[in-house]
Amino acid sequence: GQQLNQSPQSMFIQEGEDVSMNCTSSSIFNTWLWYKQDPGEGPVLLIALYKAGELTSNGRLTAQFGITRKDSFLNISASIPSDVGIYFCAGQLKGGSEKLVFGKGTKLTVNP
Amino acid sequence: GAVVSQHPSRVICKSGTSVKIECRSLDFQATTMFWYRQFPKKSLMLMATSNEGSKATYEQGVEKDKFLINHASLTLSTLTVTSAHPEDSSFYICSAHEKDRFRVTEAFFGQGTRLTVV
């Protein structure tokens, strides 16, 4: 099925550094969602975006819905060890069904 | 945010037996729920859309007789893996959406079920 292009696939950073990851597509989206998944757990919703250009924060996390509605990024500032995990973007296509399209994930490792 | 509860979190079963996994939306009604399968180090793969009061819609390549889905109420969907085989061992996750008239506003996932078939 269709997937979003999520990058990078993995990141190794030092505690305190900022992180940025993004998802792009050739299709237009109504909704962008960002998730964090810990091993053996279901994804947990971090941020939801609904409007082109929208910039939303959740603590140290900031995400934006691209102006073209074809991309989104997630930033994590001042990373801490508990930020370790896999981050997924997901979106609902414009004019599509309720089904979500997922990125392949970004695995984040934070070195203390 | 809304909560989706999935049970059991882990199950081990013998080959040839059936296993039922439950997915409940705890504080909202979900006319539609989704079942995913996740392989190690991979993204979520949609298996089927569970529709309250009607038949589930399966994705291409997913055997509907192998993965039985029932959505009998607005808060409960079940996935039954029938005649399980070791290759069915995987991490299964359900989700439910909150939405407004035009779009999905939020999608919440259960905790996942680790199925091991021996």
Side-chain angles (χ1 to χ4, degrees):
Chain A
Q2 183 170 6
Q3 281 202 315
L4 298 169
N5 299 312
Q6 185 171 350
S7 64
Q9 285 188 324
S10 61
M11 302 183 74
F12 297 84
I13 63 170
Q14 292 297 125
E15 183 176 359
E17 290 183 352
D18 298 342
V19 172
S20 184
M21 59 194 78
N22 70 84
C23 282
T24 62
S25 174
S26 57
S27 302
I28 294 174
F29 286 79
N30 274 344
T31 302
W32 283 95
L33 305 167
W34 282 94
Y35 292 89
K36 178 175 184 276
Q37 186 177 26
D38 292 325
E41 301 288 333
V44 174
L45 182 63
L46 300 173
I47 293 180
L49 302 160
Y50 313 115
K51 298 179 182 178
E54 179 182 0
L55 185 71
T56 298
S57 293
N58 177 7
R60 293 179 295 107
L61 279 60
T62 302
Q64 185 161 30
F65 195 139
I67 289 291
T68 64
R69 298 175 67 184
K70 296 180 180 180
D71 63 321
S72 176
F73 71 74
L74 173 70
N75 287 343
I76 305 173
S77 63
S79 59
I80 59 178
S82 61
D83 290 334
V84 165
I86 300 178
Y87 292 80
F88 289 101
C89 62
Q92 183 201 15
L93 287 164
K94 177 180 183 296
S97 71
E98 196 179 328
K99 292 191 289 188
L100 297 179
V101 180
F102 283 86
K104 292 188 176 182
T106 296
K107 182 177 180 181
L108 178 63
T109 302
V110 180
N111 297 315
Chain B
V3 177
V4 173
S5 178
Q6 189 172 339
H7 177 82
S9 57
R10 290 179 176 272
V11 58
I12 300 173
C13 71
K14 292 184 178 180
S15 288
T17 61
S18 296
V19 173
K20 181 184 285 187
I21 303 169
E22 293 187 347
C23 181
R24 295 181 184 274
S25 58
L26 297 186
D27 53 1
F28 68 105
Q29 295 182 331
T31 55
T32 309
M33 291 186 179
F34 300 85
W35 287 96
Y36 297 85
R37 184 171 179 175
Q38 188 175 31
F39 294 98
K41 300 182 181 181
K42 298 292 184 182
S43 188
L44 284 75
M45 181 186 77
L46 181 65
M47 298 173 64
T49 302
S50 173
N51 303 299
E52 188 267 334
S54 65
K55 292 182 179 180
T57 306
Y58 290 82
E59 295 300 301
Q60 190 173 7
V62 178
E63 299 176 60
K64 62 180 180 181
D65 295 329
K66 160 70 101 172
F67 300 100
L68 298 179
I69 291 173
N70 183 272
H71 194 152
S73 78
L74 287 170
T75 58
L76 174 64
S77 174
T78 61
L79 168 69
T80 301
V81 182
T82 62
S83 186
H85 290 282
E87 57 265 30
D88 298 325
S89 299
S90 194
F91 193 57
Y92 294 87
I93 313 174
C94 68
S95 77
H97 298 171
E98 290 204 359
K99 51 201 176 191
D100 62 21
R101 182 179 173 187
F102 303 105
R103 61 192 165 199
V104 174
T105 54
E106 291 176 311
F108 299 98
F109 288 84
Q111 304 93 321
T113 297
R114 170 69 61 191
L115 170 63
T116 303
V117 184
V118 298

